Amino acid sequence: MASLAPPRPALRATTPGARPAASPARSVRHLGPNWYASVMGTAIVANAGAGLPLGLPGLRTACAAVWALSLAMLLALVAARAVHWIRHRDQARAHLLDPAVAPFYGCLSMALLAVGGGAMIVGRDWIGLPAAVALDTVLFTVGTIVGLAAAVGVPYLMVVHHKIEHASPVWLLPVVAPMVSAALGPLLVPHLPAGQAQETLLLACWAMFGVSLLATLVMLPLVFGRLVTGGPLPLALTPTLFLVLGPLGQSTTAANKFADVAPGVLPAPYAHGFASFAVLYGVPVMGFALLWLALAAAMVLRAHRRGMGFAMTFWAFTFPVGTCVTGAEGLAQHTGLAAFRWLAIGLYALLVAAWLVAGSHTLRGLVSGELLAGPAPAPAALPRATARTR
């Protein structure tokens, strides 16, 4: 099952009794694009926390500190990945041709966008609004271009070069990237000249909303069909079921952001339409997201009982859940319902717990060198013996 096999070694799992590589290599040769998920997962902790309907003292300062951490992680990872492409082009090309790794190139786009959006949401408290606008403009532009390229390029590779037997939730990663642009682009709209510039960006975000939503509607039935007909995913890949929450929560967030900025940018009928759409679309989609969260959680508990150890796929517990937090925050704002406020708080607690677990295991794996080590060498074949039988 090529599409469901762990990337080599991007999705290496640490399971009890597994023998690590003899000499873990502290190099970037095996640093895959899936590592950008750690940046996404860290940035969403800051972005979602800043919008919580709570008056906790120090919460915003803590979120700003987490955002600064995500920015530092992004800079370090982009530099390391640049070295990877320069010094290990053979491995980089192998990643692109591996159906289990290539979809993670969507994570690069979402990492850039999440950190850029965080600059506008909470980072401006530390670096100032002009610097935040400049930083987000650069990261949003580059992240959107990369995301659109991944949304086209990865499916092209899947059709033309990849040998795929079964669908995988990671297929959603490249197609959800434009939805992240759609959700975070409205933050820049008020800082553009009034008129054509503001309206163009807002409608461009609306178009990317459609690009991602329709692509998700194509992919999601394949993922669910694979589960029903093929059974549970391998243990190390079970956390990727949480990736389905990404387009659901992010599209709900985007719909609410459109409603926030549309007045004064679009003519009145369309502005009012976005306000209605935010609730009429967001509520049922959030309901389906909670249903999928329950299903995915049950599958993860099943995998845990069967010995699932840590893998980098644990970062799938962070960003997708964070998008549901921001979606619930938007619905709480536009409906005034306490139920959505409590939902946002509860999901945020789950997000922080998942971030702490994934982060601590990742840090431990980096210190030990296990996560950057290459695949363990295959055991030597035993000499063939000749025996008489009766």
Side-chain angles (χ1 to χ4, degrees), residues 240-276:
T240 63
L241 290 172
F242 275 68
L243 295 177
V244 174
L245 299 176
L248 302 175
Q250 199 66 272
S251 62
T252 303
T253 302
N256 283 279
K257 294 299 182 183
F258 296 153
D260 291 340
V261 302
V265 175
L266 298 177
Y270 302 112
H272 295 322
F274 272 119
S276 300

Side-chain angles (χ1 to χ4, degrees), residues 333-350:
Q333 176 187 343
H334 288 103
T335 64
L337 292 178
F340 285 116
R341 291 196 293 271
W342 285 109
L343 176 61
I345 294 169
L347 289 174
Y348 188 73
L350 177 62

Side-chain angles (χ1 to χ4, degrees), residues 11-374:
L11 294 177
R12 286 163 47 91
T14 306
T15 54
R19 186 177 64 181
S23 178
R26 297 176 182 270
S27 109
V28 299
R29 176 170 177 79
H30 300 288
L31 186 71
N34 63 312
W35 279 80
Y36 286 111
S38 64
V39 178
M40 298 159 50
T42 302
I44 199 67
V45 170
N47 299 353
L52 284 177
L54 292 172
L56 292 178
L59 175 60
R60 189 169 178 86
T61 300
C63 290
V66 174
W67 171 80
L69 174 62
S70 72
L71 176 60
M73 292 170 62
L74 176 65
L75 294 175
L77 189 53
V78 167
R81 287 285 298 164
V83 173
H84 172 86
W85 269 95
I86 293 171
R87 299 186 59 182
H88 306 288
R89 293 182 182 177
D90 61 323
Q91 186 72 7
R93 286 193 294 268
H95 283 167
L96 281 173
L97 297 179
D98 189 335
V101 182
F104 285 95
Y105 273 92
C107 292
L108 168 58
S109 167
M110 292 184 279
L112 295 168
L113 293 166
V115 174
M120 295 294 294
I121 295 171
V122 70
R124 63 183 183 179
D125 295 353
W126 287 15
I127 65 176
L129 183 59
V133 172
L135 178 60
D136 188 27
T137 299
V138 172
L139 294 182
F140 175 80
T141 302
V142 177
T144 298
I145 293 172
V146 171
L148 291 173
V152 175
V154 174
Y156 173 83
L157 291 174
M158 291 168 61
V159 173
V160 176
H161 293 289
H162 296 166
K163 295 182 179 180
I164 297 172
E165 296 180 7
H166 299 287
S168 169
V170 301
W171 289 7
L172 293 169
L173 288 172
V175 300
V176 77
M179 187 65 79
V180 181
S181 292
L184 294 175
L187 295 173
L188 289 171
V189 170
H191 301 279
L192 293 176
Q196 288 281 326
Q198 290 185 343
E199 186 172 351
T200 298
L201 178 57
L202 180 56
L203 291 183
C205 291
W206 178 232
M208 288 187 287
F209 177 97
V211 167
S212 183
L213 178 62
L214 295 176
T216 298
L217 293 177
V218 170
M219 296 288 190
L220 189 53
L222 300 177
V223 173
F224 185 70
R226 181 262 176 263
L227 293 175
V228 173
T229 60
L233 299 180
L235 296 184
L237 287 182
T238 302
T240 63
L241 290 172
F242 275 68
L243 295 177
V244 174
L245 299 176
L248 302 175
Q250 199 66 272
S251 62
T252 303
T253 302
N256 283 279
K257 294 299 182 183
F258 296 153
D260 291 340
V261 302
V265 175
L266 298 177
Y270 302 112
H272 295 322
F274 272 119
S276 300
F277 178 76
V279 176
L280 296 178
Y281 172 86
V283 172
V285 171
M286 185 59 65
F288 179 72
L290 294 177
L291 182 149
W292 190 272
L293 175 61
L295 173 63
M299 297 299 295
V300 168
L301 288 175
R302 175 186 179 277
H304 176 71
R305 290 195 299 268
R306 283 161 173 76
M308 180 185 69
F310 172 74
M312 286 297 289
T313 49
F314 271 42
W315 285 101
F317 296 139
T318 57
F319 190 82
V321 174
T323 66
C324 293
V325 175
T326 55
E329 290 171 351
L331 289 174
Q333 176 187 343
H334 288 103
T335 64
L337 292 178
F340 285 116
R341 291 196 293 271
W342 285 109
L343 176 61
I345 294 169
L347 289 174
Y348 188 73
L350 177 62
L351 167 63
V352 172
W355 178 66
L356 291 173
V357 171
S360 61
H361 279 86
T362 301
L363 183 60
R364 187 180 303 119
L366 282 173
V367 172
S368 68
E370 172 69 18
L371 288 179
L372 292 180

